[in-house]
């Protein structure tokens, strides 16, 4: 903060945006994909301020995907993993890619990041993914899926598939 006041100010502003979004999620558990991405852009802007030229971000969202309702704060732990394991440990540039498109009755979201090491061997790896999988199972049963794979091009690719049919746009209520 003492070295770069403008940078610190920008980070604090983005953190405030994320905190407001997170607090609002208690009253609004489902949001349009576009709203979730706006909040995640604040998260990504913080990453850009932290890592500078070491991080590149590409986002490709099919316009029809923007209005699809998804659980609030679903993408944050996934982006956090991508940055923590794909950019932070290296001194080289890393690219985080996010794509979203509709395929049949599903929203397909894909995130990619560099694979810098065998992250499955690290003790903290998987907590965010495990929690996200459990959350998806509670909300969608077996109709949603989350998978991650390492490609031959040394990328980690996360695939998230969510149903978009009407019954799954509302949280399940148990008596």
């Amino acid at each position: 903060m003492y070295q770069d006041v403008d940078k610190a100010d920008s980070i604090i502003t983005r953190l405030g945006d994320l905190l407001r979004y997170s607090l609002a999620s208690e009253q609004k558990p489902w949001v349009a994909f576009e709203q979730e991405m706006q909040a995640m852009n604040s998260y990504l802007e913080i990453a850009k301020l932290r890592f500078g030229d070491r991080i590149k971000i590409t986002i490709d969202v099919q316009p029809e995907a923007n209005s699809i309702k998804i659980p609030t704060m679903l993408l944050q732990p996934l982006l956090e993993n991508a940055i923590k394991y794909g950019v932070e440990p290296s001194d080289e540039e890393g690219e985080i890619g996010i794509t979203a498109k509709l395929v049949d009755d599903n929203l397909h979201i894909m995130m990619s990041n560099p694979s810098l090491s065998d992250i499955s061997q690290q003790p903290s790896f998987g907590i965010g993914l495990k929690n996200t999988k459990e959350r998806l199972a509670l909300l969608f049963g077996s109709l949603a899926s989350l998978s991650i794979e390492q490609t031959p091009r040394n990328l980690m690719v996360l695939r998230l598939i969510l149903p978009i049919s009407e019954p799954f746009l509302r949280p399940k209520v148990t008596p």
Side-chain angles (χ1 to χ4, degrees):
M1 183 169 147
Y2 297 112
Q3 295 172 353
D4 192 337
V5 175
D6 291 337
K7 187 175 178 179
D9 184 53
S10 188
I11 288 174
I12 290 169
T13 300
R14 300 299 172 261
L15 283 171
D17 293 343
L18 278 173
L19 181 59
R20 277 187 293 283
Y21 182 74
S22 176
L23 291 172
S25 72
E26 291 179 20
Q27 283 79 38
K28 196 174 181 183
W30 296 83
V31 295
F33 182 79
E34 182 176 39
Q35 288 177 280
E36 179 83 352
M37 281 306 299
Q38 286 171 352
M40 293 309 102
N41 277 327
S42 290
Y43 186 84
L44 293 169
E45 286 176 26
I46 292 169
K48 286 181 201 174
L49 289 167
R50 278 186 67 204
F51 298 111
D53 292 339
R54 287 182 37 216
I55 189 169
K56 181 180 177 190
I57 298 164
T58 58
I59 299 173
D60 181 19
V61 176
Q62 183 183 48
E64 296 82 8
N66 281 322
S67 62
I68 302 302
K69 298 279 187 186
I70 67 169
T72 305
M73 295 297 287
L74 180 66
L75 302 180
Q76 190 277 330
L78 306 176
L79 279 173
E80 184 177 341
N81 266 358
I83 292 167
K84 181 178 180 180
Y85 297 109
V87 176
E88 193 171 336
S90 175
D91 291 332
E92 296 181 22
E93 181 182 285
E95 183 173 346
I96 304 293
I98 303 168
T99 62
K101 62 183 176 180
L102 299 182
V103 178
D104 300 323
D105 287 334
N106 295 299
L107 174 62
H108 287 239
I109 302 167
M110 189 172 74
M111 290 186 194
S112 62
N113 60 271
S115 177
L116 302 175
S117 62
D118 187 3
I119 61 174
S120 64
Q121 298 301 313
Q122 298 179 18
S124 67
F125 177 74
I127 294 170
L129 295 177
K130 179 180 177 277
N131 289 342
T132 301
K133 279 185 176 185
E134 289 174 0
R135 185 176 178 202
L136 292 172
L138 287 171
L139 293 169
F140 301 107
S142 63
L143 297 175
S145 67
L146 175 66
S147 62
I148 189 165
E149 66 178 300
Q150 187 168 2
T151 70
R153 295 183 330 161
N154 222 21
L155 288 176
M156 293 303 287
V157 177
L158 178 136
R159 286 178 172 69
L160 175 61
I161 300 174
L162 303 173
I164 59 172
S165 58
E166 182 60 30
F168 300 102
L169 298 180
R170 290 184 230 96
K172 293 183 179 177
V173 178
T174 53

